[in-house]
């Protein structure tokens, strides 16, 4: 079977030399292939967006055909333009993907429920700290109090609270690592 893409270079070479008929044949040959490339790479783009990208690819080929190196095959050059235009289309669109939620309702996870053992686990970890350090971690980490509030409640400077919090969290992290290894 003869690969028609080999003719692209010959047609584009003739088109660049001024042969309008060759240019028309070139566009007729490349358009369906480029449409397939855009659809394959543009997964998530609508049919209309894909067709817009194909038109942008053809326009870019038309405007930049003088930059094609005639000693190179035309197909990879055209494919590269198509890839770049697909990427541009995704950038323009942003990260929005329009999918009907109804199609995925059965697969969506239920709302997370609070782990009933979590509080007990945290308290177990805190027993490994000295009482004042445990009180400090509980106030800042669980109750959401500020460094200043915790310092006032424990009669400590803000700097001392930060140091004790850092050391306590470091100790808890080491304990967690030891438990994971078991």
């Amino acid at each position: 079977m003869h690969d028609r893409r080999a003719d692209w270079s010959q047609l584009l070479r003739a088109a660049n030399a001024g042969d309008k008929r060759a240019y028309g044949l070139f566009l007729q040959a490349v358009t369906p292939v480029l449409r397939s490339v855009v659809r394959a790479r543009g997964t998530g783009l609508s049919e209309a967006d894909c067709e817009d990208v194909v038109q942008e690819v053809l326009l870019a080929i038309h405007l930049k055909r003088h930059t094609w190196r005639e000693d190179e095959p035309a197909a990879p050059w055209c494919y590269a333009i198509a890839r770049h235009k697909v990427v541009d289309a995704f950038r323009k669109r942003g990260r929005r993907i329009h999918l009907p939620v109804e199609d995925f309702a059965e697969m969506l996870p239920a709302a997370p429920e609070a782990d009933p053992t979590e509080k007990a686990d945290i308290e177990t970890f805190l027993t490994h700290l000295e009482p004042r350090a445990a009180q400090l971690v509980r106030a800042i980490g669980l109750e959401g109090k500020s460094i200043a509030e915790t310092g006032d409640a424990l009669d400590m400077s803000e700097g001392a609270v930060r140091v004790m919090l850092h050391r306590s969290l470091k100790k808890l992290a080491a304990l967690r690592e030891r438990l994971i290894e078991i």
Side-chain angles (χ1 to χ4, degrees):
M1 180 176 180
H2 179 64
D3 183 6
R4 303 294 294 170
R5 283 172 243 182
D7 297 336
W8 291 9
S9 299
Q10 182 180 354
L11 290 170
L12 188 54
R13 210 173 283 114
N16 283 348
D19 185 341
K20 291 181 181 183
R21 183 177 174 278
Y23 188 55
L25 292 172
F26 169 77
L27 291 175
Q28 286 177 347
V30 300
T31 301
V33 177
L34 293 176
R35 186 172 284 119
S36 296
V37 169
V38 168
R39 285 182 183 152
R41 293 204 173 259
T43 303
L45 293 175
S46 70
E47 188 68 28
D49 288 340
C50 284
E51 195 55 36
D52 288 346
V53 172
V54 170
Q55 295 305 313
E56 288 180 30
V57 171
L58 293 173
L59 181 61
I61 288 171
H62 176 74
L63 295 174
K64 298 294 183 179
R65 67 183 189 202
H66 66 279
T67 67
W68 169 64
R69 291 179 41 187
E70 293 192 6
D71 58 329
E72 298 286 330
W77 180 75
C78 292
Y79 295 154
I81 292 172
R83 280 193 311 273
H84 291 290
K85 291 299 180 182
V86 169
V87 169
D88 289 346
F90 279 116
R91 281 189 191 128
K92 285 179 193 172
R93 188 181 88 180
R95 296 185 183 256
R96 296 181 318 262
I97 297 178
H98 301 286
L99 298 172
V101 174
E102 300 80 34
D103 294 349
F104 300 96
E106 294 173 9
M107 296 188 297
L108 294 175
E113 295 179 13
D115 182 354
T117 62
E118 187 175 314
K119 188 170 183 167
D121 290 345
I122 292 171
E123 288 300 328
T124 301
F125 266 88
L126 291 179
T127 62
H128 291 32
L129 298 175
E130 60 182 68
R132 189 170 181 165
Q135 188 179 0
L136 182 140
V137 170
R138 195 176 287 110
I140 295 172
L142 300 177
E143 298 168 10
K145 293 186 179 174
S146 69
I147 299 284
E149 291 173 317
T150 304
D152 289 343
L154 297 176
D155 197 28
M156 297 172 66
S157 71
E158 289 184 31
V161 169
R162 285 189 181 91
V163 169
M164 184 178 276
L165 178 63
H166 174 75
R167 289 179 182 161
S168 299
L169 293 176
K170 190 174 178 181
K171 184 174 182 178
L172 290 172
L175 175 64
R176 179 183 172 274
E177 290 301 315
R178 283 196 308 264
L179 289 174
I180 288 174
E181 291 174 4
I182 295 176

